[in-house]
């Protein structure tokens, strides 16, 4: 790990330490666990070297949107591919008594548009209210409620 | 609320988070220099590799035919200066012998400029493309010319590449056509400003650095991003949706796009492409609550609609899978009734 040598580097390190776990979980939910590290590394670097970074007040929300945008611009349909791969080759490390819930969840999440996936993750894993999700993603609270309702409808069907 | 679903989602997301493992190391910002926000996507997506790529772009190394690599002093004097090469510049001011010349603003084509230096080689064909070059708009046609950077002087070489051959006659295009047909001009960079001066000193063009390869706009940017060397932007302006794509691979510099107009009560949509990846965009009735793309022989895909502040329309934009010639796009209202079905092919 690189040791910070400037104030900017020190700030970046502290911001990153505070949010990296959540960003990895978000990237895993949006693009699959195997793509999370690439997504987060690229998104965080772009964000922290952006001319806008110095003026950012809510670093956590800014980085959340950076990760979502990075997933959006990725041309690889990571979620669908990962879901297919898991269905074909389930993990041999999973004990027979406990089925790995992720293949079905990944396949179900892959059917959601990106915004619905992001809203669902922030609601269920991060336990954010609709208002907080809206602030995090920079969208309206009404849109959050709409996306969540649709996501639940799709997931309820897919995860029967 | 469906407690079982909620619990499954919470548990499932946690499993995904656990499987993702530890976060990558914090990026080393001391190795990066300020660059245009848009950069080429590196092949290896590790933080160290990305930093190395950005640092390389940030330090000018333009090879001239007969001289060893030289870093332009005009770029390294100010550590906050944008690099000459690799930055997307747009024309902000123009001045001729008779004084300042107005630059067209919003709603008209913007005048961009870009210096590139990378070389791409096709090993199979044994051919290389690219090298130091300048390409942009002279307020009338596009142009591409070989170039050499010698200190603060840029010497222009052969024209190449396909260009339009429009005839224009106004003060700005007269000045810029003469400027970029000359043999050389000088340049200076101050922060995010690039000032070009003709050999006679009478003509001055001032450019500003862009964070995207597209011109400035006050219209609603619905979506934007990159796929490999291609960038795209989806822009809504009253009554129409523009899908803009720019290919910035050295030696091509293609810029394209298409658009759809709003159609009352109906879907008007098209499928474009960014870096080889299909992208669907369109205008739908504001009452649309659900939009589904149905490629023939493929899986249906739902796309979110974007609220663009128009009481009659919403906008769709997103990457899709499958390039089937035949596809349907369907808009449903909140009750699940089909509002309109668009069929292509």
């Amino acid at each position: 790990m690189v040791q910070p040598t400037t104030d900017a580097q020190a700030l970046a390190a502290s911001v990153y330490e505070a949010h990296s776990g959540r960003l990895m979980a978000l990237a895993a939910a949006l693009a699959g666990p195997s793509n999370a590290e690439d997504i987060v590394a690229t998104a965080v670097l772009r964000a922290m070297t952006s001319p806008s970074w110095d003026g950012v007040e809510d670093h956590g929300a800014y980085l959340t949107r950076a990760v979502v945008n990075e997933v959006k611009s990725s041309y690889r349909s990571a979620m669908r591919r990962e879901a297919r791969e898991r269905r074909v080759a389930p993990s041999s490390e999973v004990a027979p008594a406990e089925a790995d819930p992720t293949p079905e969840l990944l396949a179900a999440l892959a059917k959601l548009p990106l915004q619905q996936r992001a809203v669902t993750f922030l609601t269920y894993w991060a336990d954010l209210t609709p208002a907080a999700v809206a602030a995090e993603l920079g969208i309206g609270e009404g849109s959050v409620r709409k996306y969540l309702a649709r996501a639940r409808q799709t997931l309820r069907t897919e995860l029967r | 609320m469906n407690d079982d679903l909620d619990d499954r989602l919470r548990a499932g997301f946690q499993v995904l988070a656990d499987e993702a493992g530890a976060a990558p190391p914090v990026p080393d910002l001391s190795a990066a220099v300020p660059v245009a926000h848009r950069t080429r996507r590196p092949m290896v997506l590790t933080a160290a590799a990305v930093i190395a790529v950005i640092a390389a772009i940030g330090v000018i190394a333009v090879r001239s035919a007969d001289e060893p690599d030289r870093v332009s002093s005009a770029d390294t004097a100010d550590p906050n200066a944008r690099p000459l090469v690799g930055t997307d510049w747009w024309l902000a001011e123009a001045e001729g012998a008779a004084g300042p010349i107005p630059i067209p603003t919003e709603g008209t084509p913007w005048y961009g400029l870009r210096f590139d230096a990378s070389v791409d080689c096709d090993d199979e064909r044994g051919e290389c493309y690219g090298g130091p070059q300048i390409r942009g708009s002279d307020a009338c046609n596009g142009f591409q010319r070989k170039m050499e950077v010698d200190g603060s002087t840029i010497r222009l070489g052969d024209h190449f590449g396909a260009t339009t051959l429009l005839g224009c006659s106004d003060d700005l295009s007269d000045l810029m056509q003469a400027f970029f047909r000359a043999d050389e001009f000088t340049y200076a960079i101050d922060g995010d400003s690039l000032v070009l001066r003709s050999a006679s000193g009478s003509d001055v063009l001032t450019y500003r650095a862009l964070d995207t390869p597209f011109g400035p706009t006050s219209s609603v940017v619905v979506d934007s991003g990159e796929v490999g060397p291609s960038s795209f932007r989806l822009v809504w302006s009253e009554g129409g949706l523009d899908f803009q794509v720019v290919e910035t691979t050295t030696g091509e510099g293609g810029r394209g796009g298409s658009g759809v107009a709003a159609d009352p009560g109906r879907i008007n949509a098209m499928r474009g492409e960014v870096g080889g990846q299909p992208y669907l965009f369109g205008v739908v009735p504001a009452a649309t609550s659900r939009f589904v793309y149905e490629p023939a022989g493929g899986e249906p895909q739902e796309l979110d609609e974007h609220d663009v502040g128009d009481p009659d329309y919403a906008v769709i934009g997103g990457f899709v899978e499958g390039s089937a010639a035949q596809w349907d796009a369907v808009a449903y209202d909140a009750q699940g009734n089909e509002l309109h079905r668009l069929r292509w092919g």
Side-chain angles (χ1 to χ4, degrees), chain B residues 225-248:
Chain B
E226 303 163 20
V227 178
S230 300
S231 294
F232 78 96
R233 188 172 71 173
L234 192 62
V235 180
W236 166 261
S237 58
E238 224 172 69
L241 186 63
D242 290 326
F243 177 62
Q244 304 163 347
V245 180
V246 60
E247 163 64 60
T248 55

Side-chain angles (χ1 to χ4, degrees), chain B residues 197-338:
Chain B
R197 194 176 294 272
S198 62
S200 67
S202 63
D203 299 337
V204 181
L205 300 175
T206 302
Y207 289 81
R208 299 265 188 273
L210 265 184
D211 285 337
T212 78
F214 303 102
T217 180
S218 60
S219 297
V220 178
V221 179
V222 178
D223 196 8
S224 63
E226 303 163 20
V227 178
S230 300
S231 294
F232 78 96
R233 188 172 71 173
L234 192 62
V235 180
W236 166 261
S237 58
E238 224 172 69
L241 186 63
D242 290 326
F243 177 62
Q244 304 163 347
V245 180
V246 60
E247 163 64 60
T248 55
T249 298
T250 301
E252 297 184 40
R255 185 179 291 270
S258 46
V260 293
D263 194 351
R266 301 167 65 85
I267 300 170
N268 196 0
M270 289 181 64
R271 196 180 62 206
E273 197 176 88
V274 187
Q277 188 67 12
Y279 186 94
L280 188 76
F281 62 96
V283 186
V284 299
T288 300
S289 188
R290 187 164 165 257
F291 178 91
V292 183
Y293 165 71
E294 298 177 354
E299 286 187 28
Q301 296 154 56
E302 187 175 336
L303 297 176
D304 285 326
E305 66 274 8
H306 300 268
D307 181 359
V308 291
D310 192 303
D312 299 318
Y313 304 103
V315 165
I316 300 293
F319 286 101
V320 294
E321 283 201 344
S323 301
Q326 185 178 330
W327 51 273
D328 284 11
V330 193
Y332 300 92
D333 64 16
Q335 285 71 44
N337 302 312
E338 190 175 293

Side-chain angles (χ1 to χ4, degrees), chain A residues 105-143:
Chain A
L105 181 62
L106 277 174
L109 288 171
K111 293 194 182 294
L112 301 180
L114 181 60
Q115 281 284 37
Q116 290 185 26
R117 255 181 272 157
V119 165
T120 305
F121 169 82
L122 292 172
T123 300
Y124 286 100
W125 188 87
D127 265 335
L128 298 184
T129 63
V133 172
E136 191 83 354
L137 296 177
I139 60 178
E141 187 174 334
S143 296

Side-chain angles (χ1 to χ4, degrees), chain A residues 1-2 5-6 8-9 12-13 16 20-21 24-25 28-29 32-34 36-38 40-42 44-53 62 70 72-77 80 82 84 86 100-102 104-106 109 111-117 120-121 123-125 127 143 146-147 150 152 154-156 159-160, chain B residues 1-17 19-42 44-47 50-51 54 82 211 222-228 232 274-275 277 288-291 299-307 319 321:
Chain A
M1 185 172 168
V2 176
T5 57
T6 65
Q9 185 69 41
Y16 188 71
S20 60
M24 283 292 287
S34 62
E37 186 176 357
D38 278 356
V40 169
T42 306
V44 168
L45 184 63
R46 283 181 188 274
M48 291 185 174
T49 55
S50 164
S52 311
W53 178 251
Y62 190 85
E70 185 60 32
K72 188 194 303 185
S73 68
S74 169
Y75 67 87
R76 296 162 303 185
S77 186
R80 291 192 177 92
E82 180 138 1
R84 282 196 300 271
R86 282 173 179 249
D100 181 359
T102 55
E104 287 73 28
L105 181 62
L106 277 174
L109 288 171
K111 293 194 182 294
L112 301 180
L114 181 60
Q115 281 284 37
Q116 290 185 26
R117 255 181 272 157
T120 305
F121 169 82
T123 300
Y124 286 100
W125 188 87
D127 265 335
S143 296
K146 181 175 65 176
Y147 293 151
R150 289 189 198 168
R152 288 175 52 79
T154 301
L155 292 172
R156 195 179 289 119
L159 293 175
R160 264 198 291 256
Chain B
M1 181 169 287
N2 183 331
D3 289 339
D4 181 53
L5 176 62
D6 294 350
D7 291 342
R8 289 181 72 179
L9 288 176
R10 288 195 180 91
F13 280 132
Q14 187 58 53
V15 171
L16 290 173
E19 287 189 22
V26 61
D28 178 9
L29 301 183
S30 63
V33 296
V35 295
H37 186 57
R38 182 190 173 281
T39 62
R40 284 178 183 270
R41 181 181 294 273
V44 179
L45 293 181
T46 63
V50 174
I51 291 168
I54 291 178
R82 294 296 188 100
D211 285 337
V222 178
D223 196 8
S224 63
E226 303 163 20
V227 178
F232 78 96
V274 187
Q277 188 67 12
T288 300
S289 188
R290 187 164 165 257
F291 178 91
E299 286 187 28
Q301 296 154 56
E302 187 175 336
L303 297 176
D304 285 326
E305 66 274 8
H306 300 268
D307 181 359
F319 286 101
E321 283 201 344

Side-chain angles (χ1 to χ4, degrees), chain B residues 92-108:
Chain B
E93 298 170 24
E95 184 169 343
I101 299 174
I103 308 295
T105 54
E106 184 61 44
T108 59

